[in-house]
Amino acid sequence: MPGTTEVARAAADGYTFLFGNTSTQVLVPAAMVRPPYDPLRDFVGIYILCLSPNSIVVHESVPARTLGELIAYAKANPGKLSYGSAGAGTMTNLTGELFKQLIGAPDIVHIPYKGSAPGVADLASGHIPMMTPNMGGTLIDLHRAGKVRILAVTARARLKIAPDIPTALEAGLPGMVAENFNGLFAPAALPKPIVERFARVTHALMADPEFQKPLIVSGFEPILDSGPEAAQRLVSDELTRWMPVMKATAFKLE
């Protein structure tokens, strides 16, 4: 937040940029009582580089091999299921809360961790039955080793790193999309020619297969068709989509 605030106040001269994400542009402003910047008014989007979707994962002991079976299990066992997240107010937390809202199971208990790693470790050990973490190489390795079971990714399309795992949309849960975006932003008054120049060179970089490889291996989905209008529209759409979910959690940052 301090870094994002500095960029919002910086001179629009083409020398100060923000590598922003869903937290800086959506979750923090939505959660703060008095946010120090407006993500739409104070910034211009240049390019959304990649998306990092979350997932719905269970321990092997949970009697559900599909997302539909997990939903049926949650409804048949009220108060029995809990899920871990990377912390209160994070996208992993909101993913779990969105899941609860969509399936009508408000009694699934949230267990916040200090980051995804300890939560995933507890999930693999059977200390928690369910988690909604970011997709990544370690999680996929645990899935393929049978330690955990990734029932669905919360993306709009299947991931290049795990094409065998269905999306929650494919599994029959409309609206279950939860992705972190990473993008390039600048102070709002940056002249349009500079914005367009940086968008062009970023687009060329993202089109390079060698640049894409490490992103894909890490669980990111490179975006090849973004730009200033698309970046600004995504921030606006995500604010509209997540603010009601954030409000329902009653999570606030002072």
Side-chain angles (χ1 to χ4, degrees), residues 110-124:
H110 174 220
I111 304 174
Y113 283 83
K114 293 182 178 179
S116 284
V120 171
D122 269 8
L123 177 68

Side-chain angles (χ1 to χ4, degrees), residues 22 51-54 91 154-156 177-181 238 241:
T22 303
L51 298 174
S52 175
N54 287 0
M91 181 56 79
T154 57
R156 290 177 171 81
V177 175
E179 302 170 304
N180 287 284
F181 65 76
E238 290 294 270
R241 207 161 66 87

Side-chain angles (χ1 to χ4, degrees), residues 56 66-69 71 151-153 158 166-174:
I56 299 172
T66 66
L67 188 61
E69 290 178 0
I71 294 170
L151 301 181
V153 294
R158 295 196 184 201
T167 68
L169 300 178
E170 288 178 306
L173 189 54

Side-chain angles (χ1 to χ4, degrees), residues 36-54:
Y37 58 84
D38 184 301
L40 294 174
R41 185 191 65 225
D42 295 335
F43 294 93
V44 57
I46 295 175
Y47 200 100
I48 301 299
L49 287 84
C50 56
L51 298 174
S52 175
N54 287 0

